[in-house]
Amino acid sequence: MNALVALCHFCELHGPRTLFCTEALHPPSPSPSSQAGAPVPGDRDRDGDREGEGLTMRANSSATQKGEMCDVMSPLRYHLSQSTNFSLFLSSQGCRSLPASHPGFVSIDDETGIRFLSHQHPRQSQLFSVVRQACVRSLSCEVCPGREGPIFFGDEQHGFVFSHTFFIKDSLARGFQRWYSIVMVAMDRIYLINSWPFLLRHLRLTIQSLQSTALKVFDNEQGVCPQRAVRMNSGFSPAVFPHQRSGNAARSLTSLTQHQNLWASLHSSFSWLLKACGSRLTEKLLEGAPTEDTLVLIERQTEQEEEMSCWEGAEGGTSKSQRPPSESELGHDFLSDDAKLDELPGPKFRSLRHLRQVLGATEFRQLVWHVLMGNQVIWRGADPGLIQSAFTVLKSLLPVGCVRSVPYSAQYEEAYKCNFLGLSPDVPIPTHVGSSEFSVLVDVSSERSCQISVLCEDDISSLYQFTISSANTQPTDRGPTLLNKLEVALSNENLSVDVVSHCLLCLKEEWMNKVKVLFKFSKVDGRGREDTQKVLALLGATGPGEEDNVRLLKFWMTGLSKTYKSHLMTAVRGGERMV
């Protein structure tokens, strides 16, 4: 991020002027010749004059946000180059901060080697014109109502500017105040906008410090010689008015604040601001668009936060434990319960392959078939940890948007609330559920009542007996295609558990893309049955197991994110308007 900070002033004689500017210079990349030998003293200073270094702010994780910017110099090493004639530093000219002979201020970050240079103007002519334009616009046309406060403006060619205008009390000025602004100029619009709260908070500290110091000087001067009475008693003449203005226009900010080390203090503040602003946000590489699972998780988290806010607002901060859980919170178990799985005692299923070994290949295929078809999967037993571990393994077969889980309950929950339901042993299954082909029941009974030892925790088959029952009469050995490919991977002992997990992830992404095509074709475009059949053939969903493939696609279609559906509908409507 290319950025610099500048203090600007509106002079009554010359108009907007730049008073003080701080920029960040990165160390140049080491050349092969410099790497071969020892560093030459003075090379660092000579390299600083290169035009190609730029004013890039890079992330530094060790930087912290401080409240008092003027006091923050660590871990910066502060070097103040003193001029032989320091009286010029307190010049009465209001349009100049440092005399031309003053070398300026330098702060070096020992951790990154970044140097922060401050002088009246930037060292590069190209940056001079950019800062000059930002200064003029911040003190003329780009101002907020009341002429005091923050504003954002800019373009790609001249950079983007965060500007904060403010007034400084001056007993000799017209209206008893002078107009200033602090601008941050950057080429990265998004970064600058995201830094708005941070910049506003810390720039206000600097501005308030300047204003409070100048106000004390103003009150003292008014106590000695009230200027309002002097001006009212003095004669006014158009001929002498320009001379009266010129006599008061050149009063410097140092004179207004009576701060002998004003520019050194501003250099400290601006240097820390550049360092901290570049450290608080970091860039991350995103490989492609977010997956449907990521979008659904974000939507669920947002919905849960909104529901909690509504409950707290409606019931005066009622705690979560004092109200019944909502449907989104039941579904949110996908996020929270899985993280607590390792904390539960007793044996647990570790992977799909482990579950297949315990249940057997035939029973495992039957169970997974019901999961992929969207039927309700009910586990009933006395070990909540075992049931929850089974759900964790089985949920990996589905997109996140298709999962609605109640890990363990003392009563039956209908299928529209959850497709994964854990029950205690004494909970009866309703008759309409037991006779339905859209559900499967797994009864977990203990083989022996002795204490489960640590040695046999992994041997689940010797501890429990699993009985799978369902009223479904449809054969499960034909499809869907995803299940056939998954079983090939699970039965291949040469593939590790991690490899099988990646294989499953690829299969899910493949079929989720087919779901998107089918949704666009059938739901959005509204094509007929014949055209839909052609699309299914194109997607490879026809042939053996076609009926199961279609059921899987339709079920997974319910797991598409609202963001994707909304985006698709908006794009289609926009295309229709263009036609």
Side-chain angles (χ1 to χ4, degrees):
M1 174 184 176
N2 297 329
L4 55 83
V5 185
L7 173 67
C8 308
H9 163 57
F10 187 88
C11 177
E12 295 182 359
L13 291 180
H14 309 105
R17 296 286 179 172
T18 303
L19 286 181
F20 196 71
C21 179
T22 301
E23 51 185 316
L25 303 181
H26 290 270
S29 301
S31 60
S33 58
S34 63
Q35 290 178 348
V40 180
D43 281 353
R44 169 179 277 183
D45 296 333
R46 287 196 297 270
D47 289 337
D49 296 331
R50 296 185 182 180
E51 296 294 329
E53 289 185 44
L55 305 180
T56 306
M57 294 202 312
R58 297 178 182 173
N60 181 0
S61 59
S62 63
T64 55
Q65 301 177 6
K66 302 292 185 181
E68 295 295 333
M69 293 190 295
C70 295
D71 297 333
V72 179
M73 288 305 295
S74 180
L76 299 177
R77 187 169 68 250
Y78 176 63
H79 301 277
L80 173 61
S81 302
Q82 289 287 354
S83 175
T84 55
N85 187 5
F86 191 73
S87 60
L88 292 178
F89 184 70
L90 301 178
S91 173
S92 61
Q93 297 179 4
C95 293
R96 175 167 290 278
S97 57
L98 303 177
S101 59
H102 196 289
F105 304 93
V106 182
S107 292
I108 303 176
D109 184 358
D110 290 332
E111 297 180 353
T112 61
I114 299 176
R115 291 181 296 168
F116 300 93
L117 306 184
S118 295
H119 212 280
Q120 180 156 352
H121 301 291
R123 66 191 185 101
Q124 299 181 22
S125 58
Q126 183 181 3
L127 293 176
F128 177 86
S129 61
V130 172
V131 175
R132 171 63 180 164
Q133 186 181 59
C135 171
V136 172
R137 294 180 65 178
S138 69
L139 293 172
S140 58
C141 57
E142 303 288 355
V143 294
C144 60
R147 301 178 66 192
E148 192 171 21
I151 196 170
F152 181 89
F153 60 89
D155 52 57
E156 296 288 347
Q157 181 179 359
H158 301 96
F160 299 94
V161 182
F162 175 89
S163 171
H164 196 302
T165 52
F166 60 98
F167 292 103
I168 293 292
K169 284 292 185 180
D170 181 5
S171 60
L172 301 180
R174 199 171 41 160
F176 300 106
Q177 60 186 10
R178 297 192 184 274
W179 202 17
Y180 291 84
S181 71
I182 297 178
V183 297
M184 173 174 274
V185 185
M187 301 306 297
D188 193 333
R189 177 177 61 91
I190 301 300
Y191 198 107
L192 198 58
I193 291 176
N194 289 337
S195 301
W196 175 289
F198 174 83
L199 295 174
L200 182 61
R201 181 170 65 253
H202 291 288
L203 285 181
R204 278 179 174 172
L205 293 175
T206 301
I207 293 172
Q208 291 171 359
S209 177
L210 292 173
Q211 290 177 329
S212 61
T213 306
L215 181 61
K216 295 178 181 178
V217 177
F218 174 82
D219 292 337
N220 292 335
E221 293 177 348
Q222 288 290 82
V224 175
C225 181
Q227 291 296 313
R228 188 178 300 275
V230 173
R231 297 181 186 183
M232 293 179 64
N233 295 330
S234 62
F236 175 79
S237 172
V240 302
F241 179 69
H243 299 284
Q244 293 175 342
R245 290 185 61 195
S246 61
N248 299 334
R251 197 175 185 192
S252 67
L253 184 60
T254 308
S255 174
L256 296 178
T257 59
Q258 295 297 314
H259 193 328
Q260 300 301 319
N261 296 322
L262 173 66
W263 306 116
S265 178
L266 285 178
H267 166 75
S268 172
S269 299
F270 292 170
S271 298
W272 180 87
L273 187 66
L274 287 174
K275 176 182 173 69
C277 191
S279 305
R280 57 183 298 271
L281 297 178
T282 57
E283 295 182 351
K284 292 184 178 180
L285 177 63
L286 296 179
E287 299 180 356
T291 63
E292 283 297 302
D293 285 356
T294 303
L295 293 175
V296 171
L297 289 175
I298 294 175
E299 291 173 355
R300 287 187 178 183
Q301 183 177 2
T302 303
E303 290 176 359
Q304 188 187 37
E305 291 175 354
E306 291 176 354
E307 288 183 5
M308 293 179 64
S309 300
C310 292
W311 275 99
E312 292 174 357
E315 302 186 7
T318 303
S319 63
K320 185 177 178 180
S321 60
Q322 294 176 338
R323 59 178 176 83
S326 62
E327 290 186 23
S328 65
E329 289 175 329
L330 293 176
H332 199 71
D333 292 333
F334 189 93
L335 297 175
S336 59
D337 292 335
D338 295 350
K340 302 177 182 178
L341 184 60
D342 294 336
E343 302 176 3
L344 297 176
K348 292 180 284 289
F349 292 105
R350 301 184 303 274
S351 63
L352 284 171
R353 178 173 287 170
H354 185 207
L355 180 63
R356 186 172 184 265
Q357 292 171 350
V358 173
L359 298 181
T362 304
E363 287 75 10
F364 174 81
R365 182 180 180 90
Q366 179 185 0
L367 178 62
V368 172
W369 183 89
H370 282 279
V371 172
L372 295 176
M373 295 299 104
N375 297 337
Q376 188 179 40
V377 178
I378 306 172
W379 281 59
R380 184 168 57 180
D383 190 345
L386 180 69
I387 296 177
Q388 188 171 338
S389 67
F391 287 165
T392 300
V393 170
L394 292 172
K395 285 189 292 186
S396 64
L397 297 166
L398 298 177
V400 176
C402 295
V403 174
R404 302 180 309 278
S405 174
V406 176
Y408 203 70
S409 175
Q411 62 181 8
Y412 172 77
E413 299 288 348
E414 294 293 340
Y416 71 90
K417 290 185 177 180
C418 58
N419 55 338
F420 290 97
L421 175 61
L423 297 176
S424 55
D426 55 345
V427 177
I429 303 298
T431 305
H432 71 280
V433 177
S435 59
S436 172
E437 63 180 21
F438 300 110
S439 64
V440 60
L441 173 64
V442 180
D443 271 314
V444 184
S445 58
S446 178
E447 284 288 307
R448 56 183 183 180
S449 59
C450 63
Q451 185 71 21
I452 299 177
S453 64
V454 179
L455 296 177
C456 62
E457 276 192 355
D458 292 335
D459 191 8
I460 299 178
S461 58
S462 64
L463 299 173
Y464 298 100
Q465 182 179 358
F466 300 91
T467 304
I468 301 178
S469 58
S470 175
N472 174 66
T473 57
Q474 182 178 347
T476 61
D477 56 348
R478 297 178 182 177
T481 306
L482 185 148
L483 177 55
N484 296 336
K485 293 183 177 180
L486 177 62
E487 282 215 306
V488 172
L490 290 173
S491 60
N492 189 348
E493 296 295 337
N494 295 325
L495 301 181
S496 65
V497 174
D498 291 337
V499 173
V500 173
S501 298
H502 284 84
C503 177
L504 175 60
L505 180 62
C506 294
L507 288 173
K508 287 170 59 178
E509 288 298 314
E510 175 190 351
W511 281 84
M512 205 62 194
N513 290 332
K514 296 179 181 181
V515 168
K516 292 179 180 179
V517 174
L518 184 61
F519 176 80
K520 169 67 168 60
F521 199 82
S522 61
K523 302 296 183 181
V524 179
D525 295 343
R527 300 296 182 92
R529 181 180 181 85
E530 183 178 352
D531 291 338
T532 303
Q533 192 67 24
K534 294 179 181 179
V535 172
L536 291 174
L538 184 64
L539 295 176
T542 57
E546 176 180 348
E547 183 178 354
D548 293 339
N549 288 333
V550 173
R551 285 187 61 180
L552 182 146
L553 290 172
K554 291 182 178 180
F555 171 52
W556 283 27
M557 202 178 294
T558 63
L560 287 174
S561 64
K562 297 177 183 178
T563 303
Y564 174 78
K565 293 179 181 178
S566 175
H567 171 74
L568 198 59
M569 296 299 296
T570 303
V572 171
R573 291 168 183 170
E576 291 176 352
R577 287 194 295 268
M578 292 179 64
V579 174

